[in-house]
Amino acid sequence: QDKLDRTVLPIQEPERPKFSELDVRNVEEIPPFFEVKPPKEAPNVIIVLIDDIGFGGPSTFGGPIQTPTLDRLAKSGLLYNNFHTTALCSPTRMALKCGRNHHTANTGSIMESSTGFPGNTGQVPNSVAPLAEMLRLNGYSTGAFGKWHETAAWETSVSGPFDRWPTRQGFDKFYGFIGGETDQWFPLVYDGVTRVTPPKTEGYHFTVDMTNQAIGWMKAQQSITPDKPFFMYYATGAVHAPHHVPKKWADKYKGKFDKGWDNIRLESIARQKKLGVIPSNTKLAPKPEDIKDWEVLTPDERRLFARQAEVFAGFLEQTDHEIGRLTAAVEEIGEMDNTLFIYIAGDNGTSAEGGFVGMYNEMTYFNNVTEKVEDLLPLIDKWGGPETFPHMAAGWAVAFDSPFTWTKQVASDFGGTRNGMIIHWPNGIKEKGGIRSQFAHVIDIAPTILEAVGLPEPKSVNGTPQIPIEGTSLLYTFADADAEERHTTQYFEMFGNRALYHDGWFARTIHRAPWQSINMPPLETDVWDLYNIRDDFSLTNNLAKDHPEKLAKLQALFMSEAKKYNVLPIDDRVIARMNPAIAGRPDILGDRTSLTLYDGMDGMLENTFMNVKNRSMTITADLVIPEGGADGVILTQGGRFGGWCLYMKNGKPIYTYNYLGLERFTVASSSSIPAGPATVVLDFAYDGKSQEDLGKGGKVTISVDGKSVAKGQVEKTQPLIFSADETADVGLDNQTPVANDIGIGREETRFTGKIKKITLEVK
Ligand SMILES: Cc1cc(=O)oc2cc(OS(=O)(=O)O)ccc12
């Protein structure tokens, strides 16, 4: 085993002997069986990644939200306080999973905004093999649970290709969701590449479900093959929006945020210093100018925002509690000492995507719609429950990124990139409760694991020569708090925000606030700052004027790094990039204007379905109506928080347009359709002048067998997106329903007649 060449994967089988004996009885020895095993004493590896929580959230890093599991692991492991992510989701995940920079893996931004440019295509190349595949080909069992968000947007249909789904990115097992977020009460779940219906347990919550799956998989794997280590990637959808959590968790924080975000920031920085997780000379960086002082808010605003934070805090504590169940299971089977457990508290800073007052429905953010305090107040008691899809106000994002200024999306501020991280490994790390402050980046995790396991970096994987790993193993810090820093240069870039770290210095420019998506300033006029982060943890002392030559040198280094890693050209077109034609990425339906649909086609994600937004459409459904009339869904897209549905109720055809869960427009026939074959046509004539004329309403006509039976008006439509996880479905409405009166779930909403075929045409 130890003589195997592990630099070329899969590991070559040794040549098997050839025999000359006729009768097997005459052969004395059975030739040895070839089996790939990991190096001796290779540990299990668990990576836990929480979504959308910044440095200043968890109690372990001085934040106001209790994370007892993280606290416990920190006390018996190592706490890293200078660990950085890319400031956004898919890029961080990709860099984590591959050990290369996000642009090297073609993931300069999220999957939904990939473009035609190298560095941003959204398709991880075969020359960037993931760590999971390296471990799998070295004899590990591998499983991924929870959020993925690393498959190119147009590759998420039944037609694949499945190369970039988890089960072909090195994981034997996947149980989770493929996109950027999911409803925690009614999630869209895949097992492998197959959509499955989650269990219908009382009070079902996805984080609990995925944890059960992770524990079950791990126990079974260790039961059957106790000598074979496992690699688990456990990435919650929490605490990304929707902030869905059982009320009891949110209620634990009742009143705790009434003091407001300014006081929470002051208390956090004091605790951070007391815990020693930030240097004692750290200053509280100013909050962004656009964030109001808590003092000037109205009592109603304060009451609303405080509840938003209670729900968010409860959501994080529940998540940490579930991670605690996972650690308890590892302990129960006696594997904790032999497990390299890496807990990363956030794939980026806390999210400011909730706008200045928060959102009852996060889909308003993706549609550029602003919600109003007076509309949100009546929902306070429902906040976090299944009737909401909420996000908190941006002031909280800043507070939960203390002591920094900015948040998620801002790659040029530590509020966007500096995330809490703990490494726990009793067999490999002697020190308990130590703090490590060497600069570290998410690309360092994969090489750390390879070194800990005792594996060389492969030169070739599955026949493809590999782009070398770009991260630096952190193993050198395990036994030596004062070890000289080895990761000395790192670029950062996200939607035009850009920065360069080099040897303790940080040059950066804030090109856009996370809430700024149009009217971006020209990139050429961006102003750069310079910080010495070894005495300025939170970036409060801009030295650009004192050291202009130093700044110029780092700016030049940014450009050379950017060129090297395909960061150029910089693309800050936040909204325009969402459109495949403008971005230059493939669209699975291309220029097609007609789609024929059949019964059984459900679970179609928005990026792999006909785009019906901002244009006219006609649905022609060939049906057979049973005796007594039909009920249920004919064709739908989206759900409770936005979408449309053509369905039947008490034998009558109905069309409902659900505008972001805020308003529903319904057009219903007053006569039922008799038994027998019937053709139901829904015509939606868009009022806008063109597809660029966004969000207008339309005239609706329903006809049966050529005769108009109902007419009406939809006053406005969603311009940009229906949902990240609610799908288009024929003959049922998966997850939550668009219409209010058809029940919920696959069985209740199912069409009771026969759907022969449906044609969907757009103009
Ligand atoms: C549905 C969707 C569209 C989009 O353009 O961007 C997203 C970003 C999301 O969060 S992130 O993955 O944390 O950046 C989640 C969902 C979406």
Side-chain angles (χ1 to χ4, degrees):
Q1 281 285 332
D2 291 335
K3 284 189 228 93
L4 294 177
D5 176 7
R6 297 177 189 264
T7 66
V8 174
L9 301 176
I11 296 167
Q12 290 288 302
E13 271 195 48
E15 217 167 301
R16 310 271 291 167
K18 298 230 181 331
F19 292 88
S20 42
E21 293 85 347
L22 176 67
D23 188 333
V24 70
R25 289 169 196 81
N26 299 334
V27 182
E28 272 166 27
E29 232 182 300
I30 306 175
F33 208 86
F34 175 68
E35 192 187 357
V36 171
K37 286 192 179 146
K40 273 206 173 51
E41 289 171 39
N44 308 306
V45 179
I46 298 179
I47 298 178
V48 166
L49 179 65
I50 301 186
D51 205 352
D52 277 10
I53 184 67
F55 188 84
S59 54
T60 320
F61 290 85
I65 306 170
Q66 297 310 309
T67 48
T69 308
L70 190 60
D71 289 346
R72 224 173 20 251
L73 291 170
K75 280 199 193 85
S76 52
L78 297 175
L79 178 151
Y80 286 76
N81 72 352
N82 196 5
F83 174 78
H84 297 262
T85 61
T86 68
L88 203 60
C89 176
S90 310
T92 289
R93 286 159 206 273
M94 196 60 93
L96 171 64
K97 115 176 183 220
C98 300
R100 280 79 148 200
N101 284 306
H102 48 309
H103 290 88
T104 301
N106 287 333
T107 312
S109 75
I110 50 172
M111 292 298 142
E112 293 80 358
S113 57
S114 59
T115 71
F117 289 96
N120 273 295
T121 65
Q123 289 178 309
V124 58
N126 293 335
S127 53
V128 178
L131 172 72
E133 182 71 347
M134 299 173 194
L135 294 176
R136 189 182 73 85
L137 294 174
N138 276 290
Y140 273 68
S141 292
T142 55
F145 300 86
K147 176 166 172 173
W148 185 248
H149 210 200
E150 297 175 47
T151 305
W154 66 94
E155 295 184 339
T156 58
S157 84
V158 67
S159 296
F162 288 94
D163 303 63
R164 279 164 285 273
W165 283 58
T167 48
R168 292 219 195 133
Q169 289 286 310
F171 290 105
D172 301 328
K173 166 80 183 179
F174 173 61
Y175 185 86
F177 59 100
I178 208 76
E181 63 186 35
T182 197
D183 192 309
Q184 298 286 334
W185 308 111
F186 300 99
L188 179 71
V189 182
Y190 295 84
D191 193 332
V193 296
T194 307
R195 196 195 51 69
V196 293
T197 307
K200 284 196 177 53
T201 44
E202 176 75 25
Y204 174 92
H205 190 281
F206 176 69
T207 310
V208 177
D209 183 18
M210 67 170 269
T211 307
N212 291 341
Q213 285 278 339
I215 291 172
W217 175 80
M218 175 187 74
K219 283 185 169 172
Q221 188 274 346
Q222 284 293 298
S223 158
I224 305 245
T225 49
D227 296 331
K228 182 174 178 172
F230 65 86
F231 170 48
M232 178 191 293
Y233 172 56
Y234 171 102
T236 59
V239 291
H240 193 287
H243 299 167
H244 279 160
V245 67
K247 208 166 189 308
K248 65 167 189 190
W249 288 102
D251 287 350
K252 281 187 80 167
Y253 288 89
K254 266 227 151 91
K256 293 265 193 306
F257 296 102
D258 293 355
K259 54 177 78 103
W261 47 60
D262 296 307
N263 282 320
I264 292 287
R265 294 182 86 222
L266 291 170
E267 289 180 3
S268 289
I269 189 169
R271 260 193 314 266
Q272 289 169 326
K273 288 180 187 176
K274 200 160 156 237
L275 285 171
V277 297
I278 68 172
S280 55
N281 70 348
T282 305
K283 295 203 175 72
L284 185 61
K287 66 179 191 284
E289 282 169 17
D290 291 336
I291 302 294
K292 284 189 189 165
D293 289 345
W294 186 262
E295 255 180 30
V296 307
L297 300 177
T298 66
D300 273 349
E301 285 173 324
R302 292 185 195 183
R303 189 162 64 88
L304 172 67
F305 299 166
R307 184 58 183 169
Q308 294 173 350
E310 291 169 12
V311 168
F312 180 77
F315 195 21
L316 179 60
E317 187 173 338
Q318 181 216 20
T319 307
D320 182 82
H321 172 81
E322 289 300 308
I323 297 162
R325 284 209 301 128
L326 176 63
T327 59
V330 180
E331 269 153 18
E332 185 192 336
I333 61 171
E335 288 292 323
M336 201 54 164
D337 287 352
N338 186 37
T339 297
L340 171 58
F341 199 113
I342 303 177
Y343 185 151
I344 305 174
D347 59 337
N348 41 243
T350 311
S351 169
E353 290 158 8
F356 299 121
V357 301
M359 289 159 179
Y360 128 82
N361 174 8
E362 183 221 6
M363 287 300 120
T364 58
Y365 170 75
F366 295 118
N367 282 292
N368 269 341
V369 170
T370 309
E371 297 190 40
K372 296 195 198 69
V373 171
E374 64 262 34
D375 298 334
L376 299 178
L377 284 168
L379 295 166
I380 279 189
D381 291 335
K382 294 183 170 164
W383 207 266
E387 290 160 78
T388 64
F389 202 86
H391 197 306
M392 65 196 170
W396 293 122
V398 175
F400 300 143
D401 279 332
S402 296
F404 308 115
T405 299
W406 293 100
T407 62
K408 177 181 179 185
Q409 293 194 21
V410 183
S412 43
D413 188 82
F414 293 160
T417 67
R418 204 165 193 151
N419 282 96
M421 197 263 287
I422 299 291
I423 301 185
H424 183 273
W425 184 24
N427 283 358
I429 299 172
K430 292 290 151 265
E431 189 180 338
K432 305 232 176 286
I435 294 185
R436 296 293 181 267
S437 299
Q438 291 87 352
F439 180 88
H441 187 270
V442 63
I443 58 175
D444 299 340
I445 298 297
T448 302
I449 292 168
L450 286 180
E451 192 180 359
V453 169
L455 291 175
E457 176 183 340
K459 293 199 267 296
S460 166
V461 177
N462 295 321
T464 306
Q466 292 296 297
I467 296 175
I469 282 184
E470 291 160 356
T472 307
S473 168
L474 293 170
L475 221 78
Y476 76 96
T477 64
F478 284 6
D480 185 1
D482 300 321
E484 196 182 336
E485 180 170 297
R486 292 191 189 168
H487 187 149
T488 52
T489 303
Q490 180 63 46
Y491 80 89
F492 293 86
E493 193 281 328
M494 197 59 61
F495 295 124
N497 283 327
R498 51 207 195 276
L500 187 91
Y501 172 76
H502 184 66
D503 272 342
W505 292 84
F506 191 66
R508 69 100 175 263
T509 181
I510 304 287
H511 175 66
R512 61 174 281 268
W515 39 83
Q516 186 179 356
S517 54
I518 49 169
N519 299 328
M520 237 70 92
L523 291 154
E524 291 78 9
T525 60
D526 282 337
V527 177
W528 286 65
D529 305 340
L530 178 70
Y531 302 95
N532 176 354
I533 74 163
R534 295 207 176 124
D535 350 285
D536 184 9
F537 188 89
S538 57
L539 313 177
T540 56
N541 185 18
N542 178 8
L543 300 172
K545 291 216 168 63
D546 304 304
H547 301 286
E549 26 8 269
K550 179 96 198 164
L551 176 57
K553 227 177 98 191
L554 295 189
Q555 284 176 282
L557 187 52
F558 173 83
M559 283 306 282
S560 61
E561 292 288 293
K563 194 164 172 207
K564 179 166 147 194
Y565 294 115
N566 288 332
V567 181
L568 305 178
I570 304 279
D571 193 343
D572 61 357
R573 300 168 304 162
V574 179
I575 298 285
R577 278 173 78 165
M578 298 292 162
N579 179 328
I582 294 173
R585 70 172 171 272
D587 183 348
I588 194 169
L589 287 176
D591 296 332
R592 284 173 59 189
T593 55
S594 175
L595 181 63
T596 308
L597 298 155
Y598 300 97
D599 200 22
M601 292 176 72
D602 61 63
M604 293 172 281
L605 284 159
E606 192 162 339
N607 281 302
T608 51
F609 189 69
M610 183 71 82
N611 181 7
V612 303
K613 292 179 288 290
N614 311 305
R615 66 208 301 199
S616 298
M617 75 165 174
T618 305
I619 297 167
T620 307
D622 282 332
L623 311 172
V624 180
I625 306 296
E627 289 300 332
D631 266 313
V633 173
I634 299 169
L635 180 64
T636 186
Q637 181 174 28
R640 188 176 280 166
F641 305 101
W644 53 269
C645 183
L646 177 63
Y647 65 107
M648 290 181 70
K649 174 92 183 166
N650 301 326
K652 297 164 189 154
I654 306 176
Y655 175 77
T656 286
Y657 192 98
N658 176 6
Y659 178 80
L660 289 162
L662 299 170
E663 277 179 77
R664 282 184 171 77
F665 306 99
T666 293
V667 180
S669 167
S670 53
S671 48
S672 49
I673 308 178
T679 301
V680 173
V681 175
L682 178 282
D683 188 69
F684 179 88
Y686 186 56
D687 290 338
K689 292 184 227 23
S690 71
Q691 236 189 306
E692 279 72 53
D693 188 9
L694 302 179
K696 296 294 180 306
K699 289 168 193 64
V700 173
T701 309
I702 304 175
S703 357
V704 177
D705 294 329
K707 256 185 36 208
S708 162
V709 295
K711 277 184 188 297
Q713 177 75 25
V714 170
E715 298 295 342
K716 51 188 171 179
T717 57
Q718 291 181 215
L720 300 173
I721 183 177
F722 291 114
S723 176
D725 66 330
E726 289 278 359
T727 57
D729 312 301
V730 174
L732 55 83
D733 196 340
N734 198 41
Q735 303 166 256
T736 67
V738 169
N740 273 329
D741 54 351
I742 56 167
I744 183 163
R746 301 172 66 81
E747 301 321 315
E748 290 179 21
T749 60
R750 198 178 287 276
F751 190 62
T752 56
K754 185 172 154 80
I755 297 172
K756 286 163 64 179
K757 82 173 183 195
I758 300 173
T759 312
L760 169 62
E761 290 166 287
V762 291
K763 281 196 274 292

